[in-house]
Amino acid sequence: MSTVRSANRKDEILQALAAMLESHPGQRITTAALAAKVGVSEAALYRHFPSKARMFEGLIEFIETTLLNTINAILQEHKQTEVRVELILQMLLVFADRNPGICRILTGDALQGEQERLRERVALLFDKLELQLRQCLRERKLREGKGFIQDESDLANVLLAFCEGKIHQFVRSGFTRIPSQQFASQWLVLRQSLFSEIPGSL
């Protein structure tokens, strides 16, 4: 029973941290303020997390697990590259829509003055996302007998940079410029550039 209670309290602390990142844009979150938000003492916070860095790591782990598991589900359910790429990009932007405070972690805004390893963890997460996109694009030739005019690594980088840019705009605007809002029309532009036939291909 105590283990369940402890897990629930950890989740509560992480949810409170994410909420405060959303409601206090541009500000650092202190453990004192977080403890007050949760309704416990600072000492109680540290019984669940040894440091504020571990709290941020808990949120980063949540982000990584959620995004990579959802990408795996998309890849399992859909086999056409064009559909896969569209759904992955849309998923990343909708996740950002629904988690404004967490977007401050993704952009590094909330990590100013925090431990360097946190920024390294976020960078590693984006590397993993780019790898997933790159592998998805490279499989097109095997699955559909079609390649791309551009190198798949360059394309994957551009696609991820598109999502990162939308997330940065969201944070910079104080969460008013919704990342997924114009995705349908913007995907048409990306799709036309990405999936145009290679000259001379059958």
Side-chain angles (χ1 to χ4, degrees), residues 74-75 78-91 133 135-141 143-144 146-148 155 159 183-184 186-197:
I74 289 170
L75 298 181
H78 303 277
K79 301 307 178 186
Q80 187 180 6
T81 303
E82 183 178 328
V83 174
R84 285 175 159 188
V85 172
E86 179 181 7
L87 291 176
I88 289 172
L89 298 186
Q90 185 178 49
M91 179 275 295
L133 285 168
Q135 290 178 337
C136 181
L137 293 170
R138 284 178 175 169
E139 285 183 10
R140 187 188 190 212
K141 195 164 189 177
R143 291 181 177 278
E144 302 164 37
K146 299 175 182 177
F148 292 96
L155 293 175
L159 291 171
F183 178 71
Q186 291 168 341
W187 170 246
L188 293 178
V189 177
L190 292 171
R191 177 180 174 273
Q192 185 176 13
S193 301
L194 272 175
F195 295 99
S196 57
E197 292 296 325

Side-chain angles (χ1 to χ4, degrees), residues 73-114:
I74 289 170
L75 298 181
Q76 287 292 322
E77 185 174 351
H78 303 277
K79 301 307 178 186
Q80 187 180 6
T81 303
E82 183 178 328
V83 174
R84 285 175 159 188
V85 172
E86 179 181 7
L87 291 176
I88 289 172
L89 298 186
Q90 185 178 49
M91 179 275 295
L92 293 175
L93 297 180
V94 170
F95 177 83
D97 292 355
R98 294 174 178 172
N99 297 279
I102 282 176
C103 288
R104 289 187 59 203
I105 296 176
L106 292 174
T107 63
D109 173 68
L111 303 180
Q112 296 297 323
E114 303 295 341

Side-chain angles (χ1 to χ4, degrees), residues 18-119:
M20 290 186 73
L21 288 172
E22 178 180 354
S23 61
H24 297 74
Q27 298 179 27
R28 289 191 68 194
I29 307 301
T30 65
T31 52
L34 180 59
K37 173 78 171 177
V38 179
V40 299
S41 66
E42 285 189 75
L45 284 185
Y46 289 122
R47 282 199 292 272
H48 296 284
F49 293 97
S51 65
K52 188 167 66 166
R54 276 299 300 140
M55 298 176 201
F56 277 113
E57 284 181 337
L59 284 179
I60 295 169
E61 287 164 7
F62 162 75
I63 298 166
E64 181 171 319
T65 299
T66 301
L67 295 183
L68 295 181
N69 284 350
T70 307
I71 288 174
N72 285 334
I74 289 170
L75 298 181
Q76 287 292 322
E77 185 174 351
H78 303 277
K79 301 307 178 186
Q80 187 180 6
T81 303
E82 183 178 328
V83 174
R84 285 175 159 188
V85 172
E86 179 181 7
L87 291 176
I88 289 172
L89 298 186
Q90 185 178 49
M91 179 275 295
L92 293 175
L93 297 180
V94 170
F95 177 83
D97 292 355
R98 294 174 178 172
N99 297 279
I102 282 176
C103 288
R104 289 187 59 203
I105 296 176
L106 292 174
T107 63
D109 173 68
L111 303 180
Q112 296 297 323
E114 303 295 341
Q115 294 188 20
E116 179 62 26
R117 77 171 188 268
L118 296 174
R119 285 182 287 279

